[in-house]
């Protein structure tokens, strides 16, 4: 497959929407433990694509790759967004997964699952942005 004359399957040039070729950075990861109702803090090393691959009305989406090779989507808000709202959204996702687990325990014919959500803080950048 060729796009703009380049074979996208063999062209080794990193694309701006790819995390490949980006510098690795250590970020603080915040995961919500619903059972204990506490935030768990850890660090992870990631590469985040320089350019977004998509956007909606509120957020832009960047590909993110961790040091283990796991792919994620990092969502950054377009406008000034209070950091606590990121945390509220992660709590909401944890609650939704809890109810999905209860629903799935009823032997429903189709299972429901939510993608694990967490907050990252880019501590090596000015302003320590959150995603």
């Amino acid at each position: 497959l060729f796009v703009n004359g380049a074979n996208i399957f063999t062209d080794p040039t990193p694309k701006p929407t790819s995390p490949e070729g980006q510098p690795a950075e250590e970020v603080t990861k915040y995961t919500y433990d619903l059972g204990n109702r506490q935030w768990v803090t850890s660090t992870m090393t990631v590469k985040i694509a320089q350019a977004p691959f998509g956007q909606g009305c509120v957020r832009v989406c960047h590909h993110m790759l961790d040091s283990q090779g796991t792919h994620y989507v990092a969502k950054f808000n377009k406008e000034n967004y209070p950091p606590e709202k990121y945390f509220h959204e992660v709590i909401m996702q944890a609650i939704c997964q809890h109810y999905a687990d209860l629903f799935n325990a009823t032997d429903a014919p189709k299972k429901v699952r939510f993608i694990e959500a967490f907050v990252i803080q880019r501590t090596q950048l000015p302003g320590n942005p959150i995603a």
Side-chain angles (χ1 to χ4, degrees), residues 20 26-28 31-32 37 46 56 66 88-89 111 128:
E20 300 295 334
E26 189 171 283
V27 298
T28 302
T31 307
Y32 190 68
R37 292 188 163 85
V46 299
D66 73 7
H88 291 157
E89 289 181 16
K111 303 296 182 189
N128 300 324

Side-chain angles (χ1 to χ4, degrees), residues 5 15 35 42 44 61-62 71 73 87 114 131:
K15 308 294 180 263
S42 60
M44 66 188 297
C61 301
H62 293 253
H71 292 266
V73 174
F87 290 92
F114 283 81

